[in-house]
Amino acid sequence: QNIKLAVTDLVGLEELQREFEPFKKELERVTGLGIDFLPVTNRTAALEALRFKKVDFLLAGPAEYVVMQKRANAKVVVGLYRPNYYSLVVVKADSPIFLIQELKGQRIGVGSVGSTSRHLGPIQLLASAGLEPLKDTQITHTNLRLAWEGLKKGDLQAVGMGRSDLEGFLAQEPKDQQNAYRVLARSGDLPNDLLMVGEHVPQQTLEQMRKAIVDHSASLIASIAQGGDYVKRYQGMRFLMSIADKDYNLVRTMYRTAGYPEYSEFIGN
Amino acid sequence: MTEKSPVNLPARFERPSPGSLLAFLAFVALLAWSISAAGISVSELLTGLPNMAKIASEMMPPATDRLQPMMYSVWVTFQMALVGTVIGIGISLPLAVLMSRNYTPHQVVRAFIRSLVSFIRTIPDLAWALFFVASVGLGPFAGTLTLVMDTIGFCARFFAESIEEVEEGPPEALAAIGASKLSVILCAILPMSMPSLINTGLFALEKAVRSSVVLGLVGAGGIGAELATSMELFRFDQAATIILMIFLLVLGVEKVSSRARTSLLKKRQ
Amino acid sequence: MTEKSPVNLPARFERPSPGSLLAFLAFVALLAWSISAAGISVSELLTGLPNMAKIASEMMPPATDRLQPMMYSVWVTFQMALVGTVIGIGISLPLAVLMSRNYTPHQVVRAFIRSLVSFIRTIPDLAWALFFVASVGLGPFAGTLTLVMDTIGFCARFFAESIEEVEEGPPEALAAIGASKLSVILCAILPMSMPSLINTGLFALEKAVRSSVVLGLVGAGGIGAELATSMELFRFDQAATIILMIFLLVLGVEKVSSRARTSLLKKRQ
Amino acid sequence: MSVSINHPGEGVALRVHGLSKCFAGATHPVWSDVSFDIPQGQRVAIIGGNGAGKSTLLRCCMRLIEPDTGEVYFGNHNISGLRGQALSRVRSRVGFIFQKHNLVNRLSVLTNVLHGGMAWARTPRMWFQGIAACEHREYALHCLEQVKLAHLSKQLAGELSGGQSQRVAIARALMQKPDMIFADEPVASLDPQAGEDVMQVFSNLAHTQSLTLVFVTHHLEHAVRYADRVLGLQNFGLSLDAASHSLSASQLRGMYD
Amino acid sequence: MSVSINHPGEGVALRVHGLSKCFAGATHPVWSDVSFDIPQGQRVAIIGGNGAGKSTLLRCCMRLIEPDTGEVYFGNHNISGLRGQALSRVRSRVGFIFQKHNLVNRLSVLTNVLHGGMAWARTPRMWFQGIAACEHREYALHCLEQVKLAHLSKQLAGELSGGQSQRVAIARALMQKPDMIFADEPVASLDPQAGEDVMQVFSNLAHTQSLTLVFVTHHLEHAVRYADRVLGLQNFGLSLDAASHSLSASQLRGMYD
Ligand SMILES: Nc1ncnc2c1ncn2[C@@H]1O[C@H](COP(=O)(O)OP(=O)(O)OP(=O)(O)O)[C@@H](O)[C@H]1O
Ligand SMILES: Nc1ncnc2c1ncn2[C@@H]1O[C@H](COP(=O)(O)OP(=O)(O)OP(=O)(O)O)[C@@H](O)[C@H]1O
Ligand SMILES: [Mg+2]
Ligand SMILES: [Mg+2]
């Protein structure tokens, strides 16, 4: 009997969506379980699958975890920490805006709704600077690449994104343009990605999985990084054992700030 | 004419050429292989029906809390879809003539335009959106242009098909009169293929409304973005409302246009 | 027959009824309003062309680093698309007959099936994916089912249109013979609308290949997920490769099928 | 009017009573209040100017077009009240040869003829000659032979000449083994010899199998020679109903002035 | 063969030389090596059995179907070598009445007739009667009057009876003000009176305007009465070419045995 492991919406881990074979092999080897590895490009589908017990494990981001807690009782197996996982608000270098408060009344591009580093993080940055993002600014949800073009053309005054996104954009700009953008604000590191397990999975399987990951974390991470060019992205990654639900209260706060209070109830309150 | 020799019954089937027999067998084998690869299981589908019902029940009753903004979005979407479709149809008609088997000025032109239209279709919406955002910036114009491309990819091909399927007698008669190609197209091909052209055009309009997600991507608002957000946040009741609204819009357009069509087609020139 | 009275020229145009005149004016007004709302500006488009070229240059040369896995994905996608389309067409044909103006058993049946098919079309892919994920889990089967629904929404409608457009003489002749409706459909309608049916079916196959993003939604892999990921990683050179591959596949299918079609249509029964 | 009054007696193959038809949007009716009885085995020619409504009359009798008023009886069956299977059964007894032939162009000649067999064998094997029973295929070929077209049985119907496709339409009607034939200008596109042959075939069937024949024609000689009775349509109604032996072709020419 | 040899002399309206045609997949040619000259103003009847290739011959002359070999001259123009505008110009001088009429069903009768005017006025105003010049509309109506159909000018062509649509096709050809008319069984669906009228109109044009008339017919009386010369197609070739005064209808019947 194979276990089903789905992966979704890991910003910065997109490679894993298509080059998962080494990781899957490694995970099978260390856990001794057969694994059906299912990369899913949409988190809604992945979460519904977990809720309807069609998937056993789900590797997802913090925003997914919060939603999943609300919709079904998923447990955490391990967390996945990546250094330099934070949100930015970027403006053009020649922009007159130097304080985040100056974004009041401006048009700001962010990623699709519910993305931790591209939507929730940047919104929270605005909020912590004292703005009311939904009232004081015009938030435009879009594909970030489009937002980037919009920033260049001046349609948008600022764009919220993750750290790795900015690196990706800059790498594609011509040399003389790479210093044409300025980080207006950056957040602290965001909560961790994590591996969730559906409530229907026997405790024993869960333990088996958790133990295997703990014991072989180095080789598993190495296997993710086997994508050649992308090795660098995954440097410094590690698995974390002690994940508490309250670590994600930050994300719940972000949901509230972003205007989705339904996902902001703190567990245990 | 009047061969009196006893005539035999024709063969029941013409013996297929070895080539076509081989091609046929290859197709059947491919299909069988594909079906087995698709993991089709009717029993699984049947046992899963209750889950489907559960999701459907989550859509009931459709949410009414955001009715007004949604209605506005639908309206905006319809307007942009209308413009995109009208422009797209205008461009498609000459392309269709150029790429139709019987009215192309030259086979090379035909092959080129056909491939071009196929190519336009193959390029995904997001890529078109990117092109247009880079050139005209975020906003309704970029969205409309994307819809125009969508419409061309679809309409040019189906218009060409309609043109090819017109019964050849009447156009032949006009050619025998010495009418120019343009006259033949306008006086015979166009009236004769009119019902089919109108149907295709209406479908294109419907398609544009449905694919309005791209309008959201380029920051032009529209109902597609609303729908995507509802789904992302598991507000299936809101999603249901939006789907119903689009459905009603589509039905309404069909009603109005089927009336317009009957009165238009009856018109005696 | 032989009225010798001097006959006058008919009016150039029939006076339109006040209702239809009003409807026409309303349409023109709506269109004008929509066009102004769409913010169309040709000059902007022209000045933006260099930017477009720049984006296009980002796609050149297409990346070859992932050629092999991409080719595999294309193949898998094609297989699933084929299965989905074949099943979808099989279901569409009877639906099309039931919803066609002239062969429906009853106007109520027609209205119902028509609405049903419109509704199937209106429900977005993601919603179908959710339904099927909930019932059959993540994987190719859910993806295939989604493609089946897509195909039904498209084919049933266009098949019905083809059926309605068949010249009425030959079916009338079979009806006069006393043939059953089924016989009329199979012996007259089907052969006469065959070219159009084949064209629609091929387009549905192409559409399924192109819309293979949904396969990614449900974790069935395929080229759509590759494309989405490439875009997500802002690797437009990879995206270009994928688009080209899909394009070649589509061209190939068209070539093969246009051959098959000519030989099929010539066949003498 | 009660059915018992209109109900035709023994031996009446077709009764038309008070039939009227006006196309939507037309100022005049095509014709109105047309009534006649045709005994079994009679050969009737319908004549009239272009647009007098001959084709419309035949169609209305079969309810391929709905007449506005009036009733049509085939034997004892009032066709106006019938639907579905029952309507099909009545229609299947009547071979209808259309003015525009109405063949299925993309199928072979033999298949087109075979379709006539659906009148008496409701089997899917009548759909295509490739799957039909041997005796049915042979009978279809026999019908083709009667119109001298057996050598073209493999050709596509869409690739025939005008006269050839009319002959196929005739063969299809023969294939029905009908009790009655409605023929709308059946020899208009035929060469003179073929025209005579076809009219002869019809007449023979009328004599030997007491087939009832109703044919529209513009050949007045044919009307006089091959019909027992001539009906004339003119001025929006039935203006002539006479035995053909009382008429001559030149007399009939008066109809058209 | 060099062009100078085939080039027709003064007064030859149509020269057909060595024409052959075999349809793809057919075992026999339709006909081969057909040659004849038609002087201007001559009225020529083409007769032959169904499938003898009469319609195909007319089509090949106009290059609506490409013949396999041979040449066709209209006056001095070798139509085989022409393309585009030049081909159109030659075709525009010939009115072609098709066996299947080939009207545009969804347009009105008057518009269909008006289309014939594209032969001499290449203006977009010929496309629809609603936008045509007044004198052109009046001329179209005049052509309709010649076939006694002026009262139906508003009707849709698709709603005509068989004979009516044939008349519209004839009116369309008249609208062309042609030098030559190719008529493929122009009176097959017409009632006797209308048939005579139409043949009379053609004959008058031949006399008064020295119109060259080539018509296919199965009415042997017409062939004898309205033609100066009769061509017969049989056995895959031209088997008869004689002046009509030397022939009688009953003699011609021999062609079909
Ligand atoms: N669908 C239609 N809509 C309106 N009018 C029609 C329609 N069909 C036929 N008509 C008209 O009805 C009249 C009778 O047509 P019908 O075809 O019955 O004539 P017909 O006697 O068969 O003539 P013909 O000898 O030319 O075949 C004609 O004037 C024709 O224009
Ligand atoms: N498209 C085609 N493909 C193959 N054969 C054809 C095609 N068109 C016509 N034919 C054949 O060519 C022959 C001549 O046809 P054509 O239409 O010229 O005859 P016709 O002399 O006009 O006969 P009719 O008097 O019946 O009109 C016929 O045997 C016909 O079957
Ligand atoms: Mg008629
Ligand atoms: Mg012919």
Side-chain angles (χ1 to χ4, degrees), chain D residues 152 155 159-164 189, chain E residues 23 30 49-56 99 185 218:
Chain D
L152 291 185
Q155 191 149 333
E159 295 176 348
L160 295 175
S161 81
Q164 286 167 346
S189 309
Chain E
F23 281 108
V30 182
N50 292 134
K54 306 176 293 297
S55 304
T56 307
Q99 191 170 9
E185 305 190 25
H218 293 306

Side-chain angles (χ1 to χ4, degrees), chain A residues 22 29 109 117 131 135 144 167 213 217 230 239:
Chain A
R29 191 182 66 79
S117 67
L131 293 174
K135 287 205 191 110
L144 269 194
E167 280 178 9
I213 293 178
S217 89
Y230 295 91
F239 286 106

Side-chain angles (χ1 to χ4, degrees), chain B residues 1 168, chain C residues 266 268, chain D residues 149 151-152 155-156 158-167 189-191, chain E residues 21-26 28-31 46-59 65 99 184-185 216-218 233 236:
Chain B
M1 245 284 52
E168 61 193 359
Chain C
K266 277 277 158 199
R268 290 154 194 205
Chain D
L149 222 58
H151 59 293
L152 291 185
Q155 191 149 333
L156 288 190
E159 295 176 348
L160 295 175
S161 81
Q164 286 167 346
S165 84
Q166 187 152 42
R167 294 190 200 191
S189 309
L190 298 193
D191 64 53
Chain E
K21 174 73 193 174
C22 184
F23 281 108
H28 298 289
V30 182
W31 27 248
I46 301 184
I47 63 170
N50 292 134
K54 306 176 293 297
S55 304
T56 307
L57 179 59
L58 293 191
R59 268 166 210 263
I65 303 178
Q99 191 170 9
D184 198 353
E185 305 190 25
V216 173
T217 191
H218 293 306
L233 286 175
F236 318 122

Side-chain angles (χ1 to χ4, degrees), chain C residues 172-190:
Chain C
E172 191 184 17
L174 292 194
I177 286 170
S180 65
K181 267 202 178 179
L182 182 64
S183 307
V184 174
I185 287 161
L186 276 159
C187 298
I189 304 289
L190 214 59

